[in-house]
Amino acid sequence: IGVRLVGSEMCIRDRMRRAFFDSLELRLGAEDTHEATEWLVRLHGELGQRFAAVLPSQKRDIADKLDNELFGQQLRAGAYGSGQLGPLIEYTWALLRMACAPDMDTEVQAAYDTVAASLVPGAAFSTVVPLYLRCAHTQLDEVIRRIRELNRPK
């Protein structure tokens, strides 16, 4: 029964996450993006915090390169768009490659390929960003799940 419960919880979590990112994409494509912008700032900050927790030796570099205050200022001022996403995506996946176990390399690369393929000239920010965040957080969730599993008392 415990395995079924865990599977059901994961299914529910995945559905909720998918619905959230679908909603984010819709709101980013709307005229008034204020609420979606604030969500992005929080998700960006959360991503930086999670990476710093998983890779404590990289904490300063992560704080510099994922500076959430600067990101928020740029986003709110309309100065952060699809053109700035390339370096953010590259850095995020460099961190994921550092954090993941070797047997996750294929999954991490597949997620990167999906996000990178979406970043074509003229790509809509409202489409690329939710995909980027969903893929990055999903990969990081798996890294964190494995770390917890290793640290679980036996």
Side-chain angles (χ1 to χ4, degrees):
I1 204 166
V3 172
R4 281 189 299 208
L5 182 60
V6 170
S8 295
E9 288 175 2
M10 289 175 59
C11 184
I12 291 168
R13 188 192 73 214
D14 290 345
R15 285 183 182 170
M16 288 176 59
R17 177 175 280 174
R18 190 175 312 121
F20 172 78
F21 285 109
D22 288 349
S23 176
L24 179 60
E25 184 174 345
L26 286 172
R27 290 171 191 245
L28 282 170
E31 273 187 49
D32 181 8
T33 61
H34 174 74
E35 184 178 16
T37 298
E38 295 310 311
W39 282 359
L40 286 181
V41 172
R42 285 193 301 271
L43 286 167
H44 180 270
E46 181 184 324
L47 194 63
Q49 291 169 359
R50 294 177 81 203
F51 272 124
V54 170
L55 298 166
S57 65
Q58 301 294 316
K59 191 173 185 171
R60 276 202 177 120
D61 188 54
I62 291 167
D64 288 343
K65 291 196 173 132
L66 295 180
D67 182 336
N68 202 50
E69 187 174 324
L70 178 61
F71 175 78
Q73 289 171 355
Q74 291 175 329
L75 199 58
R76 290 179 191 108
Y80 198 98
S82 295
Q84 289 77 27
L85 287 174
L88 177 61
I89 291 167
E90 292 296 328
Y91 182 68
T92 300
W93 262 265
L95 292 174
L96 282 168
R97 288 179 188 107
M98 274 190 258
C100 79
D103 70 328
M104 286 181 63
D105 288 346
T106 302
E107 292 172 41
V108 169
Q109 186 61 42
Y112 170 80
D113 291 344
T114 299
V115 174
S118 74
L119 193 60
V120 295
F125 188 78
S126 62
T127 302
V128 177
V129 170
L131 177 64
Y132 155 73
L133 287 168
R134 186 177 68 238
C135 288
H137 277 283
T138 298
Q139 294 301 309
L140 196 50
D141 286 346
E142 180 61 15
V143 169
I144 292 168
R145 185 192 69 75
R146 288 177 177 217
I147 290 170
R148 285 183 179 147
E149 197 172 279
L150 286 172
N151 292 325
R152 188 177 332 141
K154 298 185 182 189

